[in-house]
Amino acid sequence: MATVEDMAGIAFENCPAVRTIESYPGQWHTPGQYWSATTGTLLAYESFLECQWLTLLDFDPTIAAINTQALEIRARDHDGAWRHVPDVFARRVNGSVLIVDVKHPRRRDSPAVERQEKRTADACRQLGWDYRMVDAPPAQRHANIAWLAGYRRPLHAVAHLEPEIVAAAAQPVRIGDLAATMPAPLLVRPVIFHLLWRHRLVCDLDTPLRERTLVRAAEGTSR
């Protein structure tokens, strides 16, 4: 048990889960584990929707650490005592904290969920943390990032191709054209997607990711 003052200084990104996510035949949601490129660890999730948001957080370059089911908030207000385990704890690169709760869109406007959102937001405000309750992510953006997540693991055999690809994308170029200008295009294309995941290449992720999608080297990217 920690006070508000103590909680602000605890590295919850390194804490074990305070509760176990159950898995059993016939359950409606789909629990599992997501391998995070940010942490290099498996993160437990309770539903496919949570997995979607873990993927988006893993892609976010402002996020330095992620943990799930990392803490339980216990408090009291005018309605009495309450407790809640937030879905995701995220530490940003600048040291600030983001707490995320994921709710199915059909439950988002229920009185119980709205009360939980207000209570948790108030508690996070006292801690100096940011809080978001989310439902379904933007469909096209998530589809693109989920595709890039397939290339999030570190490169090994083809890592030597990175500098040449980044240099060739100094000006906007179509993915298909960029791959075609390199030896062994079939090896180059996965590296392009990996560089997009790592933000060394950038593109419009709110439109479908295709061969004609324009990519370019990110500003400040070394060649």
Side-chain angles (χ1 to χ4, degrees):
M1 183 75 68
T3 65
V4 169
E5 292 76 14
D6 293 333
M7 287 178 67
I10 296 175
F12 287 105
E13 59 267 43
N14 300 323
C15 292
V18 298
R19 74 179 182 91
T20 302
I21 295 175
E22 295 184 351
S23 177
Y24 52 88
Q27 64 189 137
W28 287 96
H29 51 84
T30 52
Q33 293 186 322
Y34 171 85
W35 184 83
S36 167
T38 301
T39 65
T41 61
L42 291 171
L43 301 173
Y45 59 82
E46 200 162 15
S47 67
F48 177 66
L49 197 59
E50 282 186 28
C51 183
Q52 289 182 307
W53 281 101
L54 286 176
T55 306
L56 297 183
L57 288 169
D58 200 25
F59 179 73
D60 188 338
T62 70
I63 301 296
I66 310 168
N67 201 358
T68 56
Q69 316 295 318
L71 70 151
E72 181 179 58
I73 300 173
R74 298 183 184 184
R76 180 179 293 276
D77 59 19
H78 60 275
D79 290 325
W82 62 274
R83 61 174 62 184
H84 174 57
V85 178
D87 294 320
V88 183
F89 176 96
R91 179 85 63 182
R92 297 191 181 97
V93 173
N94 64 9
S96 64
V97 170
L98 171 65
I99 298 294
V100 179
D101 273 323
V102 183
K103 297 296 179 186
H104 193 282
R106 288 199 299 267
R107 296 182 56 208
R108 184 66 177 82
D109 296 329
S110 74
V113 168
E114 289 181 344
R115 183 169 61 251
Q116 176 191 306
E117 179 180 19
K118 181 181 184 307
R119 284 172 160 175
T120 310
D122 288 344
C124 287
R125 194 175 301 112
Q126 293 182 53
L127 291 160
W129 295 350
D130 293 324
Y131 175 72
R132 292 175 63 197
M133 181 175 282
V134 297
D135 45 50
Q140 185 60 66
R141 188 170 186 84
H142 172 263
N144 289 337
I145 293 172
W147 172 265
L148 297 180
Y151 304 88
R152 67 188 183 277
R153 288 168 176 78
L155 296 178
H156 296 290
V158 290
H160 65 282
L161 297 173
E162 289 190 40
E164 187 177 358
I165 293 171
V166 171
Q171 298 298 322
V173 58
R174 293 178 179 179
I175 289 177
D177 294 340
L178 178 58
T181 62
M182 302 285 171
L186 292 179
L187 293 179
V188 168
R189 191 170 276 98
V191 182
I192 293 172
F193 295 139
H194 177 76
L195 292 172
L196 284 167
W197 173 268
R198 290 176 51 204
H199 304 277
R200 295 194 66 199
L201 296 179
V202 295
C203 69
D204 181 3
L205 290 174
D206 295 314
T207 58
L209 192 60
R210 299 199 169 119
E211 288 287 281
R212 62 177 179 268
T213 296
L214 290 175
V215 300
R216 60 175 174 80
E219 293 184 11
T221 299
S222 61
R223 299 186 176 128

